[in-house]
Structures are given as structure tokens and as C-alpha cells.
Amino acid sequence: MADYTIPDDLRYSEDDEWTRTDGDIVEIGVTDYAQDQLGDIVFVELPEVGASFEQGAPFGVIESVKAVSDLYAPVSGTITQVNDSLVDNPEQVNEDCYQSGWIVKIQCSNSAELGELLDAATYSSSVTDRTS
Amino acid sequence: MAYNPHTDADVASMLEVIGQPSIEALFRNLPEKIRLQQDLALPSALSEQEILEELEARAAHNANLSNYTYFLGAGTYPHFSPSAVDSLISRSEFYTAYTPYQPEISQGSLQAIFEWQTMITMLTGLDAANASLYDGASAAAEAALMALRVKRGRKKVVVAGLHPHYREVLDTYLAALGVEIVTVPYTKDGRAQAIADFVDDQTACVLIQQPNFLGCVEDVQLAAQAVQEAGALLVGVVTEALSMALLRPLGELGADIVCGEAQSFGLPMNFGGPHLGFMATRSKFLRQMPGRLVGETVDLRGKRGFVLTLSTREQHIRREKATSNICTNQGLCLLMATIYLSLMGRQGLQKLARLNFSKAEYAKQRVRETAGLDLPLSAPSFNEFVIRVPDSAEAALLRAQENQLIGGLDLTAYSNKIDKTDDFDLGPAVLVCFTELAKREDIDRLCQALAGDDA
Amino acid sequence: MTDSTTFPSTYPAAGVGIATRGMSLEEPLLFESSRPGAVGYSLPKADVPDCDPASVLPDEFLREDIPNFPELSEPEVVRHFTRMSTWNAAVDLGLYPLGSCTMKYNPKVNERVARLSGFANTHPLQAQELSQGLLGSMMDLSEYLAEVAGFDHVTLQPAAGAQGELAGVMMIRAYHEARGEQRTKILIPDTAHGTNPASAALNGYDTISIPTGDDGILHPEAIEPLMGPDVAGLMITNPNTLGLFEENLVEIAKIVHNQGGLIYGDGANLNALMGIARPGDLGIDVMHFNLHKTFTTPHGGGGPGSGPVGIKAHLEPFLPKPVLRTHEDGGVFLDNDRPQSIGRLHGNLGNVGMMTRALTYIRFMGPDGLKRSTEMAVLNANYVAARLKDRFVLATGDRPVMHECVFSDEHLEGTDVTTMDVAKRLIDYGYHPPTTYFPLIVHGALMIEPTESESRESLDCFIAALLAIDDEARRDPGLLHKAPHNTRLTRLDETRAARKPILRWSPGSGE
């Protein structure tokens, strides 16, 4: 089993996304485990800035050559920024999923939902469950 | 059995390896009560010689290009196909291969598709074409579905000048989606009424056929402005692909999607199928396009090669969220068209289009000069137009038939499928098409026959 | 890269089963070899006055040129495509064991019949009285197909299996709507082809996945709790995509029918059943055929196919129109007066050129020949399964397989070799790879459908190749990772193709 990087300072969703919170702005990307499962990312479909999503609603799509996965909003809110550089360089998700491979920033409309996110240890054991 | 290599000894030895006593035993887990208890009630086997005798006799019962001269188009066009086309597609390496899933051993098919895609972008004036669809009608329906995906939330599709069969297929494909389909009527000169009056902020797309079903060349640029203002997509639909060699590319005129039927490019009429649907679009809509796509890449040694690509749009990966349920392309048909277009080339295709146009213009002149015949529509055409006949379309076509001429399409039979403004009146009319196969003397004979005693 | 050292040492005697490169010639794109002024066409003499389009149409309606469109002579075009043809694998070159695709031999007489002028050079809108040879042939074919699969009617209109499937689900929807019922869901097993959920979605149905049992087949207990008055029906492939006969189908059909639902049959695997059992007798209400699979019309590099649909009488009002009907005088005509029809699916009558081929095949085989084909197809699949099962892991355990067999990648455990590597290495041995990674429920699936066209010798060589590759996987896995070695091109970079799609040639873009 491969070792996956799961930074302690981030919070995670059950859909294999990570979040980094700064005030009410939540930065979102996919985890190392997710990018590894998908393989070489070839395309990320980004939402429009200003679009709003309920928690759990699909806000975008991420594709590799032979797989496709919806991206789900880990918290409800409005998109404030998208990572446009993924349009031309989707491989950033593979190469640096926690930094330059970030996908969107959402202004969270329900801070209670932040508390529902998993900490690194919990997420790590969920990955272990699925890979063993 | 000629198509099965096993001898009785082979069967016996293989059963031994499998460890079963008989062929029958291989089906042992099919419950007895569901087994077919009798032989299939089919006629018994024939030798190859007998089959040819039987089917050649049946084929001889059909009017065809060797015993009739055809002036019938309306979606399927009689054209000449050079001998090299059939010769090349008869190579088993092409026709007994399947979809090129394994690119290392499918480069022949893949490169041909890439060349086809390129040619279609050149003919349509758009950025990207797919590897083909079943036929023009389903291509038009798929284009509407694509526009509905691009313009998510909009629920109206406007059609102008569309072949009635294409319209029916569109109705079928959209039936479950709660989409309103609005028809723009024909005006007196044979062209569609102003598109601007039919589009609004609920319109996902306008499908406009060029030339339209009645053979008239539409003002697509004008339509494009109206469509753009409404924020909808313009879909150009082409049934006579050869017209693209003469008319300005629809993509240049503002179409966002161009689709249609490419049977004219070297495919036999085949009683209507297989034909060859094509589709092209702008780069920004690429991921909403249905069907197979071939793209360029390199192999491990850095050598150029081609692969099926962007397949995450397709049913085998995206399943219920796929852009379409389509799996096949019309591989062998697009190969025919690609070979045909390579032979005709830049010059030949344009010359052929002009020859078709000239034949039709000559025929128009003959119609004007023939008593009893009339041109009810004044809009310009390519190689197909409407002729008004003195009595009834049925009688006129029968007269043509007696002269070994397939004289065109009886528009009376379609009159309830043609939406029109009040001042539009064809009278008894036929839709007639003139290709390079129509000789001058045949055109003259046709005019005589359609006019009947009045001539 | 292609020197003999990359050849396996365990190949079968006398080089059988090894792909060797004959004279494989490079060939640029048409656009790159184009030379202005080269002519590959000949046009008939103009016997009418030339007419300048600009005299009739405004300039802005006209094209000036087709820039960069190729210009080549006929010998150049012929060489171009002939060279390209040599880069393809094909049934006529060798075993093409692509599971679920039935890559059987395509008889040459089919091609001859389809090209008869009285079939090929006919117009779909010419008078029906002038088309009786064709309409009669189509009627015969529809009756033969109905008999083979046990249905009351067959429409020939759908242009491919996927369009047939679409038509079938549309008829199911029309049937429920005609009864005043709004059903919203459809049940689909987890082994199904991707077209099934896609066709259901195009009809506005939500799909509910049905788990396959541990024994590889469906069980009534899995269906019963999900079947209700809101379910339109069940889509099923029989034999299923694991190559197993759905033994509980009759019972499952009862459950679905009792709740007012209908059964859709995916006929992709009909080659396992001809003369043995008929889907229509098993409770299936509607099923598509694939003439290019079961009835030997060529696959054509991905089409054209043909996907007729068989139905039981209760679906007759909903058939796509026009419908073929027989007059009292024996003539055949097209009936458009079909108020409950789902409508038209094709611009004309479907892929008639494929129908004449399939008709030829059925007439050649007769009832005994079709049954024999099925028996030999099943024999061949069982033979492959029996010879490989000690080294490869059958996904279906000890159950007898039908026309195809599916292996998982369990036997590769402990190596870093994948099913993809094995598949690509098979190319070096001269074989088109089997279907891989499908059905989705089998890990690293390798799905082999040998068809009845293969001799025992052919199968033995193929089996020897797979066993040799299995040895290589342990001894020299690197050899497999980079396979194929012996093709004109090596493994292609699909990621690159998808990241920056280049879908057309552009001036100056060549090598």
C-alpha cells in the first residue's frame, strides 16, 4: 500500500477533498489519495465565481484519461475564486495537490458545517480502511 | 460448415480437455424447461451459389442506378463514387477491425479518423469535428441535445427548414426531456421567416438547414445575429454535403455547431443507410460533443500517433451522465468519405459542386421554358429545387417513371409536415435534384415527362 | 528497440504466434503530402453551360476556396490508405478475442450481396412498388430475427445496438405512459454495459444498480425489494457480461412483470443462445440485436452497425415508424399511420446495407448452422477457460461459461504487472487484446470471447501466448510494462492527448 500525504493542518471531507480555512473562506482541493486513485488528471471543470452550492452538491468535475469524478462542496457557500491555472495545467493536481493544485475557494455560509469536517487522523484511517 | 474450422475430432478432443462428455453438457446449467425444444423455424441452409442466385434475383426487382436515372435527393443523393473508394475500403484490415481501442495496432483507422476530422473542420469552418454519427438525422438530434447541455436550463429548440424526417427524429430524441420545439415557417420565396421572431431567452438553440429541405439557400448570417442576441447556439444542418464545397462555411457565418449527412461523399445510397452523420463545433464546446474523438499524441519513443481521446464524455465511463449513449462511429463510412475527399481534393470537390450547381441552373432554365412547369420558389438553390407540375405530383412522377426516370420527391405527401406562412403555396410540386449523374438529355426528358401533355 | 532480444524465449514452436514486422511503411498525413495542382479526380464533360454561382448568389454566401484541403493523385491516395491499412489488427489477420464484441469471421459473400446494384444503388424515397426486392428482403430478415430470439415483431430501423437500446427503452416508457403510469426508475445490474444507464438517462429514468450475486448471476432476492410500482423495468444482458447464463431470469421476470414492469434484454451476447434458448421465451419483452456481432456484418473499424429490436406483441403499437407491413397481395409497404409510435429514429429505414449482409448470413447458415455456431462459440470459450484456469483466476469460479470467459488479475498478485500490461504484451505475440477492465465488478478483468471462427490450433497458440506472458510477468516484468515492442508504434501517451487535445491537423503542425 502506498503512503499518502495527509497534512495535519487541513480538514477533510469523506469525498476525499481537503479544506484550508481562513476566516470564512475555505480553500478546497482533492487529497493525495484521490489524485493517486484517479491517475493522471487531464481536465478540471471549474464552477463560475459567484455560483452558490449547498453542502454535498457537485460543483465541478475532475477527469483522468479513463475516470471521472464529481467534486462535491464540503461546505455550503459561494465561490469566490477558482484556480484558473488548472485549465492549462491540470497536472498540478497530481504534482502538488495541497498547494498549487488547489481547485476553488468558497465563502462558507454555514460555519457549523466546518465542524463536520474530518481531522487528519480520522481521514487517514478512512483511507487505510479503503486500501487495506 | 464453411465458417467453422472444427472437425469432429477437434470437437471430441476439446471436450476431453474441458472434461465434459458432449456439446450438450456445456449447456447443462440452462434449466431444461427454458431450452428451445424444437429447431428454429428458418429456411434451410443454402450454398453460396444458391444464395447469390436468390438474392441477385431479388435485387433485380428494385429500381436502381443501373436501370433508372435519379433526380431524387431529399437527404440521400445520387453521386458518382470513384473505383478506388470501394477498392480501398474492401481491405480486410479496415473492414474487419473494430473500434480502435488498442492504438498500437489500430493506427490505420485512427489516422483516417484524424484526417476525416480535419477535413470536416475545413468544410465547416469550425475548430473540432467528431469521428461521425449514425446519419444526418441523428446528428441533428444529438446537436440539439448538446446545445441543451451547453445552455443548461433553457428548454426551447427552434428549427428552420429542417428535413421532415430529421424533425421527426428530433421529436423522438427529445420526447422525454420536456423541451418545446418550435418551427419557423417557410415564406413565399422558400426561405425561413425571420429567426429573430422565434428566439428568446429560453431558446437553447436554433437548427437551420442549409440549403433547406426545399433546396433554398438560407441567409444564415442573418439568422446567426438573431440567435447570438438571444444567447442561444446556432446549429447548421447540412443534408447535401457537397454544397459545403460551394457555399460559405457555416462556422464562418456564425454557426456554433455544424452537423449533417455526408453520404454524398462517395457512399452508395444504400436505400438510405448506412449513411454518415458528421458534427463539428467550436473548441469551447468540445467537452459537450457526443461521439468518438481521435487526438494526436506521441508514443514512448516520441513518434507521432493517434488515440481515441476525451473518452470520459462517453457512456462506458460516465454511464448515465454520458453526453450520449452512442458507442459506434460509422468507421467504414467515414473511411469511404475520407478516401473520396482525398481523391476529389481541393480543386475537384469545388469543380464538382459547381457542375452540380450548373446542372440545376440549366434545369431551372428548361423548367421555365417548358409549358406547364413552374418554379414556385424564387430563392437561390444549390443542386435541388421545387418544380410545380400541371396536374398532380403523383401523376407527374409516374410519367417520369415510365421513362425510366426517378423524377423527384412528391411534396404533396409532405405538405402537412411543412409549416408555412399564409402566402406560401406550392401547388402540386416535386422536389428535384440534379447531380453530375444527370445528363442534359435526361434533364430535358424529365421536364417533358413532368409537364406531360401540356408540354 | 525491436531487436530479437526483446522476444520471449518461451514462444511457441516455429515462431507461431509472434508478431513480426513485415514491411511496415511510414505514411504522413494527407495534408502533409498534398501538392498544389495534383489531381486525383476525373469529372465528366460538362454537357450544360457553366454557370457562375456569383451570378445567382451574393458573394458573401459563397466560398472562395477550401484552404489546405489535400491535393493528391490517385496512386498516392491508394498507397496512402493501403499503407495505413497495414497498421491495423483485424479479424482477417488473426484472433481478435474482444469480449462482448463477437469478432467473428465476416463472410465474403455478404460483401458481394450488399454491393449488388439492386441493393446498394437504391434510394430510400423511391416508389415502394419499385423497391419490393428490398422491402421483401427486409421483411424476411425481421421475421428470421424474430424467430431466432422468440419475439413477435422486429424493427430493423435502429442504426446500432446503442440506438436499438434507446428505442427499446423508449418503447417501455411509451407502454407505461399509454397505461397512464408515470414510472421513474429502471433497474440495471452492476455488470451492465455503459450504454444501459446512458439509454435509461436519455429517457429520463433514474437508474438503480442491482448487485450481482457472489456466483456471478442475478438473484430474485436482489430484485424483489427494489421492484415497485415506480420502476419501469429491468435491463438485463443474458448471458451476462461475465459470460454466465442468468439462470434465474424466468423467476426474476415474474417479479418484474407482477409489479407491472418490463424486461429489456441487451442482445450483445445472443451468439451464445442461437437454437439453444430464446430470450423472448425467458420473459424478455424487448431486446436489441447487434447484426455486427451475431450476424457477421463487418465491424468496419467501429461501424456501421445495425441494432434491430425484437418485441412482444404488447409493445407493437409503440414500434418506431415507419413499420414494415405485408399487403394481402404479398407486397410489402411502409406503414406511417402509427399514432402510438415512439416516432422515427433514423433519417430513413436504418442501415439497410447491413441488413442484406445479415440476411445472406442467415440464409447460408440455416437453422442448424446457426445452432452449430453457438455450440462452437461456447465450446471455444469453455476450452480457453479450461486450459487457462489453473494459471489464471476465472472470475466465475467453476460455473460453466457460455460464449466468453472472464479472468480477474488475482494471478498477478505479488507482481507489479497489470492486466493492461498483459493485454499490451499479447500484441507482441500477434493478438488483439481481449476486453480489459470490464465488467467493472471484476478486478483487472480480462474478458475473452474467442467466437466460433477459431480453430483449436489457433486457440492453442493464443493460450500458449498467455501462459508465456504469465511467466514473463514473474521473470521480466519490465518487458510487459513497455509492451508492445514489436509494433510500428509503442505505447501511446493518452494523458498527453487528453490534456492538450489536438483533434485536427493545422498548417505547420506536422513533424
Side-chain angles (χ1 to χ4, degrees):
Chain A
M1 189 196 104
D3 280 330
Y4 298 108
T5 307
I6 301 174
D8 285 336
D9 57 334
L10 304 179
R11 307 271 282 181
Y12 300 85
S13 81
E14 302 202 348
D15 301 313
D16 301 304
E17 288 161 15
W18 56 262
T19 63
R20 182 181 288 127
T21 308
D22 180 8
D24 60 351
I25 301 296
V26 182
E27 184 179 355
I28 297 162
V30 299
T31 64
D32 188 28
Y33 168 73
Q35 70 79 19
D36 183 68
Q37 289 291 304
L38 283 162
D40 291 340
I41 304 299
V42 298
F43 178 67
V44 183
E45 187 184 297
L46 299 166
E48 291 188 14
V49 171
S52 295
F53 297 93
E54 292 294 307
Q55 184 184 34
F59 70 81
V61 174
I62 187 163
E63 296 183 10
S64 62
V65 173
K66 299 237 158 81
V68 57
S69 176
D70 282 324
L71 295 164
Y72 299 98
V75 293
S76 305
T78 303
I79 304 288
T80 58
Q81 212 181 331
V82 299
N83 186 355
D84 285 325
S85 70
L86 296 182
V87 174
D88 286 327
N89 300 298
E91 60 273 17
Q92 284 172 196
V93 175
N94 295 117
E95 290 161 2
D96 188 15
C97 67
Y98 294 112
Q99 297 295 336
S100 65
W102 68 276
I103 296 172
V104 293
K105 291 183 185 174
I106 278 186
Q107 182 167 31
C108 180
S109 59
N110 179 358
S111 56
E113 289 168 1
L114 291 168
E116 297 165 21
L117 296 167
L118 313 176
D119 62 21
T122 313
Y123 177 67
S124 176
S125 65
S126 128
V127 170
T128 309
D129 285 349
R130 284 180 280 168
T131 50
S132 56
Chain B
M1 192 56 65
Y3 304 154
N4 183 264
H6 293 331
T7 62
D8 290 346
D10 290 330
V11 172
S13 70
M14 291 168 77
L15 283 169
E16 204 178 310
V17 171
I18 296 166
Q20 290 298 328
S22 64
I23 291 288
E24 193 47 44
L26 298 175
F27 297 93
R28 62 191 176 281
N29 65 332
L30 271 66
E32 186 55 31
K33 62 176 192 294
I34 61 147
R35 288 290 304 270
L36 185 62
Q37 300 302 330
Q38 70 280 9
D39 291 339
L40 290 171
L42 296 173
S44 48
L46 294 179
S47 68
E48 183 174 334
Q49 179 191 325
E50 291 162 315
I51 287 174
L52 284 166
E53 287 163 3
E54 182 182 299
L55 293 178
E56 277 169 4
R58 286 194 115 164
H61 274 114
N62 302 314
N64 65 84
L65 282 178
S66 55
N67 53 16
Y68 282 81
T69 300
Y70 280 66
F71 294 93
L72 176 56
T76 300
Y77 295 88
H79 284 292
F80 179 78
S81 184
S83 309
V85 174
D86 191 58
S87 169
L88 286 168
I89 66 139
S90 298
R91 287 198 60 106
S92 313
E93 297 94 326
F94 283 132
Y95 83 86
T96 74
Y98 201 18
T99 308
Y101 295 120
Q102 300 288 341
E104 299 87 352
I105 46 172
S106 311
Q107 284 299 309
S109 296
L110 287 162
Q111 183 166 328
I113 296 172
F114 188 79
E115 291 174 339
W116 163 252
Q117 290 175 179
T118 304
M119 286 172 164
I120 286 297
T121 61
M122 290 173 174
L123 290 170
T124 57
L126 287 168
D127 305 320
N130 72 9
S132 73
L133 297 158
Y134 305 135
D135 67 345
S138 62
E142 291 280 6
L145 288 170
M146 175 176 161
L148 287 162
R149 285 192 297 275
V150 172
K151 297 287 171 190
R152 216 175 303 168
R154 295 188 174 207
K155 287 282 179 192
K156 184 166 143 188
V157 171
V158 175
V159 302
L162 205 57
H163 190 301
H165 291 179
Y166 284 36
R167 171 60 197 268
E168 287 180 43
V169 172
L170 183 70
D171 287 341
T172 307
Y173 268 73
L174 299 189
L177 305 179
V179 172
E180 181 193 6
I181 306 179
V182 176
T183 311
V184 180
Y186 293 97
T187 57
K188 195 168 189 295
D189 74 351
R191 288 186 287 201
Q193 209 181 325
I195 300 291
D197 300 342
F198 296 84
V199 291
D200 55 31
D201 61 2
Q202 279 310 297
T203 308
C205 65
V206 174
L207 274 69
I208 186 166
Q209 184 174 318
Q210 178 76 322
N212 70 26
F213 173 61
L214 299 176
C216 299
V217 176
E218 295 277 2
D219 190 341
V220 174
Q221 208 155 13
L222 194 67
Q225 284 165 9
V227 173
Q228 238 162 36
E229 277 163 27
L233 297 190
L234 182 65
V235 180
V237 181
V238 178
T239 59
E240 169 48 299
L242 185 60
S243 68
M244 293 191 288
L246 185 115
L247 298 174
R248 185 126 169 246
L250 291 166
E252 279 180 24
L253 295 171
D256 302 289
I257 303 171
V258 176
C259 64
E261 175 58 63
Q263 172 267 331
S264 291
F265 293 154
L267 275 71
M269 296 189 289
N270 262 327
F271 209 51
H275 279 6
L276 174 58
F278 68 88
M279 184 185 285
T281 191
R282 301 185 188 285
S283 294
K284 60 179 169 181
F285 305 129
L286 185 59
R287 286 176 187 270
Q288 295 300 338
M289 184 148 70
R292 304 282 190 198
L293 286 169
V294 168
E296 182 183 317
T297 187
V298 295
D299 76 351
L300 288 173
R301 299 172 195 147
K303 238 169 122 177
R304 178 175 69 184
F306 303 94
V307 293
L308 290 173
T309 193
L310 303 182
S311 49
T312 45
R313 300 165 297 116
E314 295 180 53
Q315 49 77 26
H316 61 284
I317 294 177
R318 199 161 273 187
R319 299 175 79 87
E320 70 273 10
K321 289 182 183 169
T323 51
S324 164
N325 80 337
I326 196 165
C327 320
T328 56
N329 53 60
Q330 297 286 93
L332 204 64
C333 298
L334 79 83
L335 181 68
M336 288 183 96
T338 308
I339 297 165
Y340 175 89
L341 291 173
S342 323
L343 289 164
M344 296 310 292
R346 183 179 191 166
Q347 304 296 333
L349 199 66
Q350 294 183 82
K351 283 184 179 166
L352 181 67
R354 182 157 171 155
L355 179 59
N356 274 244
F357 177 79
S358 297
K359 295 259 186 188
E361 289 301 312
Y362 170 76
K364 275 185 184 172
Q365 182 203 325
R366 289 302 310 218
V367 166
R368 283 191 205 99
E369 291 165 359
T370 306
L373 297 187
D374 184 19
L375 297 171
L377 306 177
S378 59
S381 59
F382 170 56
N383 67 355
E384 193 169 21
F385 59 86
V386 174
I387 300 176
R388 185 183 287 147
V389 295
D391 40 3
S392 77
E394 193 183 357
L397 290 175
L398 268 176
R399 288 193 295 273
Q401 197 176 302
E402 283 158 14
N403 287 286
Q404 300 299 114
L405 306 169
I406 304 291
L409 185 73
D410 179 349
L411 285 175
T412 320
Y414 288 86
S415 60
N416 62 348
K417 292 179 181 164
I418 298 177
D419 285 276
K420 46 207 174 257
T421 51
D422 292 342
D423 56 354
F424 178 97
D425 178 29
L426 288 182
V430 289
L431 179 65
V432 188
C433 147
F434 301 87
T435 72
E436 69 280 6
L437 296 184
K439 294 194 175 56
R440 179 181 187 144
E441 61 185 47
D442 295 327
I443 298 173
D444 296 349
R445 284 201 300 129
L446 177 73
C447 289
Q448 293 296 325
L450 291 179
D453 293 339
D454 288 352
Chain C
M1 288 291 285
T2 55
D3 64 358
S4 59
T5 57
T6 61
F7 276 54
S9 55
T10 53
Y11 61 82
V16 176
I18 298 291
T20 56
R21 253 211 283 185
M23 200 166 72
S24 174
L25 295 154
E26 292 303 316
E27 182 62 23
L29 292 166
L30 287 166
F31 317 98
E32 293 161 345
S33 15
S34 172
R35 287 165 303 111
V39 170
Y41 61 91
S42 63
L43 293 179
K45 209 174 292 153
D47 55 0
V48 298
D50 177 53
C51 180
D52 183 358
S55 66
V56 178
L57 284 154
D59 278 349
E60 65 266 27
F61 280 48
L62 294 170
R63 169 196 280 287
E64 274 169 31
D65 191 5
I66 318 173
N68 300 308
F69 216 69
E71 294 175 79
L72 297 157
S73 67
E74 179 172 322
E76 290 169 301
V77 170
V78 168
R79 216 166 255 171
H80 175 82
F81 288 100
T82 305
R83 285 179 176 176
M84 276 161 49
S85 76
T86 66
W87 305 339
N88 271 4
V91 172
D92 281 2
L93 282 168
L95 176 62
Y96 205 124
L98 201 59
S100 244
C101 296
T102 315
M103 300 300 290
K104 58 162 96 169
Y105 173 67
N106 304 141
K108 301 305 165 191
V109 65
N110 295 358
E111 299 305 307
R112 185 160 162 185
V113 167
R115 284 168 170 77
L116 292 171
S117 186
F119 288 150
N121 297 321
T122 55
H123 195 291
L125 298 172
Q126 69 190 38
Q128 293 175 33
E129 305 81 65
L130 299 180
S131 314
Q132 285 299 306
L134 264 163
L135 292 171
S137 298
M138 290 166 68
M139 185 58 109
D140 284 354
L141 176 64
S142 69
E143 286 171 358
Y144 297 163
L145 292 175
E147 168 65 16
V148 168
F151 290 101
D152 298 317
H153 300 276
V154 168
T155 170
L156 300 173
Q157 197 180 123
Q163 205 185 31
E165 210 180 278
L166 186 61
V169 181
M170 283 175 172
M171 283 189 265
I172 290 177
R173 182 163 51 90
Y175 167 86
H176 290 308
E177 285 176 2
R179 294 157 61 95
E181 293 179 356
Q182 294 296 334
R183 295 178 179 238
T184 56
K185 298 175 188 160
I186 207 152
L187 309 180
I188 299 179
D190 53 9
T191 52
H193 296 115
T195 51
N196 292 178
S199 300
L202 278 167
N203 274 284
Y205 285 127
D206 294 328
T207 60
I208 298 176
S209 181
I210 308 278
T212 300
D214 290 339
D215 52 2
I217 61 175
L218 288 177
H219 291 272
E221 306 86 77
I223 310 284
E224 191 132 39
L226 296 170
M227 187 62 216
D230 57 342
V231 176
L234 165 70
M235 298 181 81
I236 194 166
T237 308
N238 186 33
N240 66 24
T241 58
L242 289 165
L244 299 181
F245 189 83
E246 290 288 359
E247 294 169 36
N248 305 315
L249 179 53
V250 172
E251 207 180 323
I252 287 168
K254 257 188 213 136
I255 294 170
V256 173
H257 287 152
N258 279 342
Q259 298 264 13
L262 297 179
I263 307 280
Y264 184 87
D266 180 328
N269 295 340
L270 184 63
N271 208 40
L273 296 179
M274 289 190 292
I276 303 292
R278 305 196 306 174
D281 298 342
L282 307 179
I284 289 177
D285 300 282
V286 45
M287 183 193 91
H288 78 262
F289 300 78
N290 296 95
L291 297 188
H292 49 287
K293 293 180 181 176
T294 322
F295 298 98
T296 67
T297 73
H299 282 75
S306 179
V309 176
I311 52 148
K312 289 304 190 65
H314 49 275
L315 288 169
E316 196 271 346
F318 314 107
L319 281 169
K321 64 182 181 181
V323 173
L324 284 174
R325 297 270 297 277
T326 310
H327 265 302
E328 283 168 12
D329 66 4
V332 178
F333 70 105
L334 298 170
D335 184 3
N336 264 302
D337 184 16
R338 306 282 306 174
Q340 288 187 285
S341 166
I342 58 165
R344 182 186 270 281
L345 283 154
H346 190 270
N348 297 296
L349 302 170
N351 285 344
V352 180
M354 300 297 117
M355 299 172 201
T356 48
R357 287 171 169 91
L359 177 69
T360 305
Y361 175 67
I362 293 174
R363 294 295 284 120
F364 185 84
M365 299 305 278
D368 300 340
L370 291 181
K371 184 176 182 189
R372 174 85 175 173
S373 291
T374 285
E375 289 173 343
M376 295 302 104
V378 172
L379 174 73
N380 280 357
N382 275 280
Y383 181 74
V384 171
R387 292 272 330 263
L388 287 175
K389 71 175 182 211
D390 293 339
R391 291 273 294 278
F392 288 64
V393 180
L394 272 171
T396 49
D398 286 334
R399 296 186 85 83
V401 300
M402 298 291 285
H403 65 303
E404 63 192 0
C405 52
V406 181
F407 297 93
S408 74
D409 60 3
E410 226 178 295
H411 68 287
L412 294 171
E413 220 161 85
T415 74
D416 62 350
V417 167
T418 64
T419 296
M420 176 64 79
D421 296 331
V422 172
K424 293 293 186 194
R425 182 61 176 152
L426 264 173
I427 294 172
D428 284 330
Y429 284 77
Y431 297 104
H432 190 287
T435 296
T436 53
Y437 301 98
F438 186 83
L440 307 174
I441 59 166
V442 175
H443 201 269
L446 192 70
M447 181 198 235
I448 300 171
E449 180 179 11
T451 83
E452 69 273 23
S453 308
E454 298 305 320
S455 67
R456 178 178 176 166
E457 290 71 20
S458 164
L459 296 177
D460 284 340
C461 288
F462 174 67
I463 289 160
L466 273 170
L467 295 174
I469 292 168
D470 196 46
D471 288 338
E472 291 170 349
R474 284 145 233 287
R475 207 182 54 235
D476 188 3
L479 193 63
L480 274 64
H481 295 322
K482 290 197 168 170
H485 301 275
N486 208 28
T487 43
R488 189 181 138 267
L489 296 185
T490 56
R491 224 179 268 198
L492 287 128
D493 188 345
E494 298 191 31
T495 303
R496 174 178 163 139
R499 274 188 183 153
K500 302 247 159 49
I502 303 172
L503 305 175
R504 55 168 294 178
W505 171 86
S506 309
S509 69
E511 281 180 310

